[in-house]
């Protein structure tokens, strides 16, 4: 460029003549103001081998010289590079949110959890950082948002390969991980001590199951036919220090109609990745991915099940998302998914993801849930992730139009923001890294969103050509001034007391500026597009004067599940504060 300018991204258009030779695979972007001193690798990653326009985001800064380094050819076809066009973009429109530059992680983050006592993000892959093929240990890492540092640890003391597990944050804030490659195992991470310990084995071996923490602090799990020798009907069981089977909680009512049959003649996809919500009186609401919804009761010796109706205007939605954006009203948003787990070209069916969106409302356990169709997403998605934000909006990111594990074809790069008032989706600024199968997204205490991973196929590692050893942070539009486009002034919670409270009690909060609404958002975990921990409780405060407020916690532990929550205050313009961590205890 003739003079230094503010830049924030580079775009690369591969050749458009139908020939893929020279498409850039791994890349890096460097910047300089004088063509002498260079900032190396302000953005780096790996692009898909197709003709679609690519983008590399980086932090906005001044530069006159921009260098795109082609490190590999996308298809491994030779030592050459081609391009139809390369362009540089000015700073993005903050009203559509801003992405950070991708930063490296030492593994493909197929699973993760936000740790309540430290605010760090716990990540893990499988026995290996770049593929799965064995059992017995797990590669883990920790990202610290305060220092932007990532550390790694190879975990072997629990003899548990935690690849494709169930995950729950329990009432004490510990991360309880079950099954996966070691299909009966339970491992527990104590975030205070920073240590993993082994727990008791499940009664039923499982992988691809879901689990959720209950109003009484117990943990319920169901399904999971991907791994282990648990049989074809992996009914529910419950954890309270030990595991006990609940055969009165059958998995059969929540099975999808997936057409995939494995080499043993077993349909192993139909009970995967249940959308589970712990609710009142020890109950569990199953919102999907099957079109049929169900209630499970866990307080009797064998458990119970009852039908809750169907999601209207929707089919089975495997690898879709369900988010409880308003727990007080019992309201859940469901988005995307597909009728089958995988789009297979060698069989007689094609599986396309949908743009569907529904609102489900639940109240008393064992009664029919209400379901209504709302305006659809702009982009069809499966393998995506959705995160509820403090203001009740839902951030939907990643995914693909035709679900294919370990691939990035037909990726959705443009995230969308769902507004709970208008019940519509707004496209946001695009990300630069595809996030599909084995990717995660989590809300952070500063009200931004952490997203990472994607890839991690069955070994050898050389066959995993779409691994993403990186993460990005998305800053939603509410963090920017709508008039000046500069970072918004955020309210500050100067005092919060008590930090440990029972359901039905009050929290007293002092703030340096006016607070219009508070929100409690539960600390969360994610894997395989499932996040059963996250939920939001909107709270209208009682103003006491002098910048003090009373924040009442709901009295039902089925609404305010026991465990750790992030308390946010929203100012006059809807800008959220940094979160204060609060422990909510059962009655």
């Amino acid at each position: 460029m003739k003079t230094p300018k503010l830049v924030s991204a580079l775009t690369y258009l591969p050749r458009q003549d139908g020939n893929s030779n020279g498409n850039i695979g791994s890349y890096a972007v460097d910047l300089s103001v004088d063509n002498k001193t260079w900032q190396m690798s302000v953005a780096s990653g790996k692009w898909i081998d197709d003709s679609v326009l690519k983008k590399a985001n980086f932090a906005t800064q001044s530069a006159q010289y921009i260098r795109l380094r082609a490190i590999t050819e996308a298809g491994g076809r030779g030592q050459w590079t081609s391009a139809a066009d390369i362009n540089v973009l000015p700073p993005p429109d903050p009203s559509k949110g801003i992405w950070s530059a991708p930063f490296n992680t030492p593994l493909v983050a197929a699973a993760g959890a936000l740790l309540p006592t430290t605010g760090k993000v716990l990540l893990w892959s499988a026995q290996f950082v770049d593929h799965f093929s064995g059992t017995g240990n797990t590669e883990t890492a920790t990202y610290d948002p305060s220092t932007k540092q990532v550390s790694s640890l190879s975990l072997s003391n629990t003899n548990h390969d935690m690849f494709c597990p169930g995950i729950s944050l329990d009432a004490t804030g510990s991360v309880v991980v079950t099954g996966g490659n070691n299909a009966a195992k339970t491992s527990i991470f104590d975030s205070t001590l920073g240590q993993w310990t082994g727990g008791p084995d499940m009664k039923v071996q499982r992988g691809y199951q879901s689990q959720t923490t209950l109003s009484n602090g117990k943990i319920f799990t169901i399904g999971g036919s991907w791994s282990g020798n648990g049989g074809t009907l992996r009914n529910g069981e419950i954890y309270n220090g030990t595991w006990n089977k609940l055969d009165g909680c059958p998995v059969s009512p929540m099975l999808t109609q997936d057409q995939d049959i494995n080499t043993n003649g077993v349909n192993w996809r139909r009970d995967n990745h249940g959308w589970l919500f712990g609710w009142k009186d020890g109950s569990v609401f199953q919102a999907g991915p099957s079109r049929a919804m169900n209630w499970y009761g866990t307080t009797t010796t064998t458990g119970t099940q009852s039908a809750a109706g169907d999601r209207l205007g929707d089919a089975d939605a495997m690898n879709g998302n369900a988010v409880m954006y308003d727990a007080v009203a019992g309201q859940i948003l469901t988005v995307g998914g597909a009728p089958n787990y995988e789009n297979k070209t060698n069989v007689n069916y094609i599986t396309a993801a949908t743009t569907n969106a529904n609102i489900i409302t639940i109240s008393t356990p064992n009664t029919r849930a209400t379901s209504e169709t709302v305006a659809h997403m702009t982009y069809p998605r499966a393998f995506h992730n959705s995160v509820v934000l403090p203001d009740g909006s839902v951030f939907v990111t990643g995914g693909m139009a035709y679900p294919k594990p370990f691939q990035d074809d037909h990726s959705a790069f443009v995230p969308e923001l769902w507004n709970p008032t208008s019940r519509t989706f707004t496209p946001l600024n695009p990300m630069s890294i595809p996030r599909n199968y084995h990717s995660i997204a989590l809300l952070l205490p500063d009200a931004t969103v952490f997203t990472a991973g994607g890839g991690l196929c069955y070994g050898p590692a050389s066959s995993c050509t779409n691994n993403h050893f990186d993460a990005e942070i998305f800053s939603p539009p509410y963090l920017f001034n709508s008039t000046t486009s500069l970072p918004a002034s955020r309210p500050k919670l100067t005092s919060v007391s008590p930090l440990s409270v029972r359901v039905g009690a009050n929290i007293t909060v002092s703030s340096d500026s006016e607070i219009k609404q508070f929100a409690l958002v539960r600390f969360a975990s994610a894997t395989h597009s499932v996040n059963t921990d996250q939920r939001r409780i909107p709270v209208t405060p009682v103003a006491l004067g002098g910048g003090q407020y009373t924040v009442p916690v709901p009295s039902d532990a089925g609404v305010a599940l026991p465990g750790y929550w992030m308390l946010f205050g929203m100012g006059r313009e809807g800008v959220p504060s940094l979160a204060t961590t609060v422990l909510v205890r059962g009655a």
Side-chain angles (χ1 to χ4, degrees), residues 28-241:
V29 178
D30 310 325
L31 302 179
S32 176
V33 294
D34 58 8
N35 202 23
K36 296 178 181 178
T37 303
W38 288 85
Q39 295 184 65
M40 303 297 289
S41 300
V42 296
S44 60
K46 185 179 181 180
W47 283 321
I48 306 169
D49 187 19
D50 61 22
S51 61
V52 177
L53 181 70
K54 319 297 183 189
K55 184 180 180 185
N57 293 314
F58 46 84
T60 298
Q61 52 198 295
S62 180
Q64 185 172 356
Y65 301 92
I66 296 93
R67 180 168 64 200
L68 173 61
R69 286 186 285 129
I71 299 170
T72 65
E73 203 267 356
R77 290 174 288 263
Q79 299 296 315
W80 46 63
T81 297
S82 61
D85 185 61
I86 296 174
N87 200 4
V88 180
L89 302 183
D93 177 4
S95 69
K96 296 182 179 180
I98 292 181
W99 287 95
S100 74
F103 54 92
N104 293 334
T105 57
L107 48 75
V108 176
L114 181 63
L115 301 177
T117 58
T118 64
K120 297 178 181 180
V121 182
L122 177 67
L123 308 170
W124 66 93
S125 55
Q127 185 181 20
F128 305 99
V129 299
D130 52 7
H131 70 285
F132 72 95
S133 65
T135 60
N137 68 281
T138 303
E139 295 296 326
T140 73
T142 304
Y143 168 67
D144 187 341
S146 63
T147 64
K148 315 299 183 188
Q149 299 299 308
V150 183
S151 59
S152 59
L153 171 69
S154 181
L155 171 68
S156 59
N157 66 296
T158 63
N159 195 33
H160 185 183
D161 182 351
M162 300 182 296
F163 175 69
C164 299
I167 315 173
S168 292
L169 291 173
D170 72 8
T172 70
S174 293
V175 184
V176 180
V177 184
T178 62
N181 261 356
N182 286 111
K185 290 284 187 177
T186 300
S187 292
I188 302 170
F189 184 81
D190 186 317
S191 63
T192 301
L193 300 177
Q195 295 179 352
W196 288 94
T197 57
D201 285 358
M202 292 184 291
K203 303 298 184 183
V204 179
Q205 296 183 15
R206 306 176 189 270
Y208 279 7
Q209 77 278 19
S210 286
Q211 63 189 52
T212 185
T213 299
L214 308 181
S215 60
N216 52 21
K218 299 178 183 180
I219 292 173
F220 173 82
T221 189
I222 194 167
S225 293
W226 175 75
S227 67
N229 298 312
T232 57
L233 293 176
R234 307 196 190 191
N235 298 333
E237 61 183 300
I238 194 164
Y239 177 71
N240 188 27

Side-chain angles (χ1 to χ4, degrees), residues 1 40 128 150 157 164 185 190 204 215 312 331 385 393 422 430 440 458 493 522 572 587:
M1 297 183 291
M40 303 297 289
F128 305 99
V150 183
N157 66 296
C164 299
K185 290 284 187 177
D190 186 317
V204 179
S215 60
L312 299 180
Q331 291 185 317
N385 289 279
S393 58
S422 66
I440 63 170
Y458 185 75
L493 306 186
R522 199 169 187 272
R572 183 185 299 274

Side-chain angles (χ1 to χ4, degrees), residues 326-375:
D326 186 342
V328 175
Q331 291 185 317
I332 300 165
L333 175 71
T334 70
V335 289
N340 295 291
Y341 199 105
E342 180 178 356
N343 183 42
K344 291 194 169 183
T345 57
N346 60 341
V347 293
N348 61 353
Y349 63 87
I350 294 177
T351 296
T354 75
T355 59
N356 292 354
N358 284 71
I359 293 176
I360 301 166
T361 303
I362 59 175
S363 55
T364 304
N366 300 313
T367 61
R368 187 179 183 87
T370 63
S371 172
E372 57 179 311
T373 300
V374 295

Side-chain angles (χ1 to χ4, degrees), residues 434-467:
R435 304 287 179 198
N436 295 303
Y437 189 62
H438 290 159
S439 67
I440 63 170
L442 295 165
L443 179 69
L444 297 180
D446 65 355
T448 63
V449 178
F450 173 93
T451 181
L456 200 70
C457 75
Y458 185 75
S462 59
S463 64
C464 300
T465 57
N466 293 295
N467 282 339

Side-chain angles (χ1 to χ4, degrees), residues 178-529:
T178 62
N181 261 356
N182 286 111
K185 290 284 187 177
T186 300
S187 292
I188 302 170
F189 184 81
D190 186 317
S191 63
T192 301
L193 300 177
Q195 295 179 352
W196 288 94
T197 57
D201 285 358
M202 292 184 291
K203 303 298 184 183
V204 179
Q205 296 183 15
R206 306 176 189 270
Y208 279 7
Q209 77 278 19
S210 286
Q211 63 189 52
T212 185
T213 299
L214 308 181
S215 60
N216 52 21
K218 299 178 183 180
I219 292 173
F220 173 82
T221 189
I222 194 167
S225 293
W226 175 75
S227 67
N229 298 312
T232 57
L233 293 176
R234 307 196 190 191
N235 298 333
E237 61 183 300
I238 194 164
Y239 177 71
N240 188 27
T242 58
W243 287 98
N244 291 288
K245 294 172 68 175
L246 295 177
D247 287 332
C249 296
V251 72
S252 53
M254 59 172 276
L255 298 179
T256 70
Q257 298 303 305
D258 197 295
Q259 300 180 61
D260 193 2
I261 305 296
N262 68 13
T263 55
N264 295 321
V266 175
N267 192 305
W268 53 302
R269 298 291 204 186
R270 294 183 176 182
D271 67 356
N272 299 174
H273 311 318
W275 303 347
L276 305 182
F277 296 88
W279 195 238
K280 302 174 182 181
D281 301 322
S283 66
V284 177
F285 178 69
Q286 174 257 322
S290 62
R291 185 172 184 265
M293 302 180 292
N294 292 275
W295 288 102
Y296 290 102
T298 68
T299 57
T300 63
T301 302
T302 59
T304 61
Q305 176 272 333
S306 62
D310 293 342
R311 284 195 317 282
L312 299 180
D314 201 8
D316 291 340
M318 183 59 72
N319 298 307
N321 299 163
V323 180
M324 185 174 279
Y325 66 93
D326 186 342
V328 175
Q331 291 185 317
I332 300 165
L333 175 71
T334 70
V335 289
N340 295 291
Y341 199 105
E342 180 178 356
N343 183 42
K344 291 194 169 183
T345 57
N346 60 341
V347 293
N348 61 353
Y349 63 87
I350 294 177
T351 296
T354 75
T355 59
N356 292 354
N358 284 71
I359 293 176
I360 301 166
T361 303
I362 59 175
S363 55
T364 304
N366 300 313
T367 61
R368 187 179 183 87
T370 63
S371 172
E372 57 179 311
T373 300
V374 295
H376 288 199
M377 296 184 293
T378 304
Y379 300 94
R381 301 176 192 265
F383 301 139
H384 52 298
N385 289 279
S386 296
V387 175
V388 65
L389 304 181
D391 64 355
S393 58
V394 178
F395 175 68
V396 184
T397 183
M400 60 201 319
Y402 296 90
K404 189 71 175 177
F406 320 119
Q407 303 297 317
D408 285 331
D409 299 336
H410 309 290
S411 293
F413 286 88
V414 177
E416 302 180 55
L417 190 65
W418 184 76
N419 184 309
T421 302
S422 66
R423 296 184 169 187
T424 57
F425 292 88
T426 299
L428 302 172
N429 282 320
M431 55 190 182
S432 56
I433 307 295
R435 304 287 179 198
N436 295 303
Y437 189 62
H438 290 159
S439 67
I440 63 170
L442 295 165
L443 179 69
L444 297 180
D446 65 355
T448 63
V449 178
F450 173 93
T451 181
L456 200 70
C457 75
Y458 185 75
S462 59
S463 64
C464 300
T465 57
N466 293 295
N467 282 339
H468 298 294
F469 288 86
D470 48 40
E472 298 164 278
I473 305 295
F474 181 76
S475 297
Y478 55 37
L479 294 179
F480 300 94
N481 187 296
S482 59
T483 302
T484 66
S485 295
L486 297 173
S489 176
R490 304 180 70 162
K492 182 178 180 181
L493 306 186
T494 57
S495 174
V496 177
S497 179
L499 296 177
S500 176
V501 60
R502 289 193 181 278
V503 290
N506 291 330
I507 302 171
T508 301
V509 180
S510 296
S511 174
D512 68 348
S513 57
E514 182 182 7
I515 301 294
K516 287 294 188 181
Q517 187 184 57
F518 287 88
L520 287 161
V521 182
R522 199 169 187 272
F523 278 75
S525 62
T527 188
H528 292 79
S529 301

